[in-house]
Amino acid sequence: ATPMFDGRAVCYPSDTALRDYLAWRQTDTHINNQYNTCFWALVQQGGCSPAAAQEALKGTDAAAKNELLYSRFGINYNELPEQFKKGSVVLRQRQDVVAKEAGADGGAPVVRSR
């Protein structure tokens, strides 16, 4: 399967609400990544059909998924790169930049927030 990008533009009323949202998304990313890592190991390396892999994972908790990865495929989930386990976040920060330098005639530089 081709990797996908899940991008969202969100405006939250406070930093606290934003932190709570990002913490929830990070946890959700971890849960989804752990399931998908197991699913595709079962399909690609274990020879399972997608339906059989889904059935094998039904009702399993995190510890069972970690054990499955390690015992059957030699994958230590805790050693996978953090960006895959917890996702990535891009934040935009405002910064003042000089849009136009001071003129030779003594005019002031033009500063804009971007």
Side-chain angles (χ1 to χ4, degrees):
T2 303
M4 294 176 47
F5 174 75
D6 179 9
R8 299 160 193 233
V10 181
C11 183
Y12 280 97
S14 69
D15 286 348
T16 300
L18 176 61
R19 275 192 302 272
D20 290 346
Y21 171 77
L22 292 174
W24 170 77
R25 289 294 300 161
Q26 191 174 51
T27 299
D28 195 44
T29 298
H30 167 72
I31 292 166
N32 291 331
N33 182 67
Q34 189 181 39
Y35 178 90
N36 287 326
T37 301
C38 291
F39 178 87
W40 288 110
L42 287 167
V43 171
Q44 295 174 342
Q45 298 170 14
C48 291
S49 70
Q54 188 175 11
E55 187 60 33
L57 295 171
K58 193 179 206 177
T60 58
D61 63 5
K65 288 179 183 78
N66 282 343
E67 180 59 30
L68 176 131
L69 286 171
Y70 191 75
S71 65
R72 290 194 55 189
F73 305 107
I75 298 170
N76 183 337
Y77 185 78
N78 293 320
E79 292 179 0
L80 295 178
E82 292 299 315
Q83 72 184 46
F84 301 122
K85 294 190 296 187
K86 296 183 178 178
S88 302
V89 175
V90 177
L91 297 175
R92 179 177 155 179
Q93 290 185 307
R94 292 223 168 259
Q95 180 177 356
D96 288 340
V97 295
V98 176
K100 183 177 177 185
E101 297 293 334
D105 59 358
V110 176
V111 178
R112 296 213 167 95
S113 179
R114 296 200 173 150

